[in-house]
Amino acid sequence: MRLHSGLLFTLGLILVGCNYTNIKGSSEDMNQVFSLPADKMSELSYGVLAEKIFIPKCISCHGNAGNINFESYGEVVRNLALIKKTVFIEKTMPKKGSLSQEELSYLWNWINMGAPEQAQNGNSNPQPDPLIATYESINKHVFQVSCKDCHNPTGSGKRVPLDKESLLNSPLELIIPGNPDESGLVIDLERTDDKRMPPAKEGYSALSDEAKATIRKWIENGAKD
Ligand code: HEC
Ligand code: HEC
């Protein structure tokens, strides 16, 4: 019994030791791999990171009703260590996607600088472009963020394209202008069973109430613009 725990202890030390040098060693390498020019470093802020990474690459699953929510600065900051671990060490996130070298560099340096909310160069955060009840805005803020992983020409949802023409002419009656309650699109977004879109079983968050209300309003207004 004694020998056993002694052995485990030694084994533990070896493992901790290896881990430590690995993470430390790779951090230094990673500062090289992800180095950014000084002017880019000084523009890093929460707003820039949200626009470049958290909104397009994470909130389809880490939104409103998801696991961890990345829709606000406070929530991102609370999870920084886990973000670093899953993106850079375990490389398990983003699930079903990837970050470009530039995106990884922004994220790596922003976290290492202590995740500043404001940029060092004094630039204010980019003004978010609000979601409004037009196809163009809904496509940009909702379909391209939460649906495009599957609703694209080679994805699992390819038989249901989400361009305006296809939505308006779908045999599934996805849009009945003026009648959001009977429009298939609204029904699919608002239902709470396993047929909800985007699909919970694949890790996706339900759309926000704001997104659902805006799509309703667009259809209510005749789905014209
Ligand atoms: C396609 C869906 C999807 C996307 C996109 C996605 N995630 Fe996740 N993420 C999940 C799911 C599901 C879990 C929980 C289960 C798991 O760990 O697989 C999770 C868990 C996590 C966790 C917690 C891990 C833990 O150990 O508790 C972190 C941190 C995380 N994701 C970060 C990110 C970041 C950062 C992005 C964007 C760069 C991202 N994820 C994009 C689906 C996703
Ligand atoms: C993880 C993949 C995935 C994501 C993300 C996803 N879908 Fe789907 N969706 C599918 C698949 C698969 C089908 C079934 C396609 C088929 O029957 O050929 C489908 C079907 C649909 C349908 C038709 C359902 C019916 O009534 O028959 C609609 C509408 C739809 N999706 C809308 C959306 C919208 C809007 C989003 C984003 C807010 C979204 N989906 C996100 C995979 C996805």
Side-chain angles (χ1 to χ4, degrees), residues 96 143 146-147 150-151 156-157 159-160 162 172 174 185 188-189 197-199 202 204 207:
K96 298 189 152 201
F143 298 157
S146 297
C147 319
C150 308
H151 293 277
S156 60
R159 281 185 294 176
V160 187
L162 300 178
L172 299 170
L174 294 181
L185 177 65
D188 292 336
L189 297 174
M197 283 291 145
E202 310 221 21
Y204 288 83
L207 292 188

Side-chain angles (χ1 to χ4, degrees), residues 4 6 16 18 23 45 52 55 65 77 85 99 105-106 110 132 139 141 145 170 177-178 180 190 193 201 209 216 225:
H4 196 87
V16 169
C18 288
I23 291 174
S45 67
K52 278 187 174 289
I55 296 171
V77 166
K85 182 175 100 171
L99 298 181
S105 301
Y106 271 66
W110 182 70
I132 57 171
N139 183 45
H141 294 281
V145 171
S170 169
E190 292 184 350
D193 61 11
K201 63 175 184 304
D209 291 342
R216 274 187 163 273
D225 301 333

Side-chain angles (χ1 to χ4, degrees), residues 18-82:
C18 288
N19 234 346
Y20 180 71
T21 42
N22 268 342
I23 291 174
K24 205 172 159 228
S26 67
S27 272
E28 279 156 14
D29 297 347
M30 276 151 96
N31 283 337
Q32 292 266 309
V33 172
F34 298 129
S35 71
L36 281 178
D39 61 323
K40 290 262 193 271
M41 291 291 278
S42 71
E43 75 184 22
L44 298 181
S45 67
Y46 171 66
V48 167
L49 271 284
E51 190 183 78
K52 278 187 174 289
I53 299 175
F54 299 119
I55 296 171
K57 303 285 180 156
C58 314
I59 68 160
S60 59
C61 300
H62 297 284
N64 176 45
N67 315 289
I68 302 180
N69 187 317
F70 292 143
E71 289 175 306
S72 75
Y73 178 61
E75 290 169 282
V76 167
V77 166
R78 245 196 313 286
N79 290 292
L80 275 186
L82 272 178

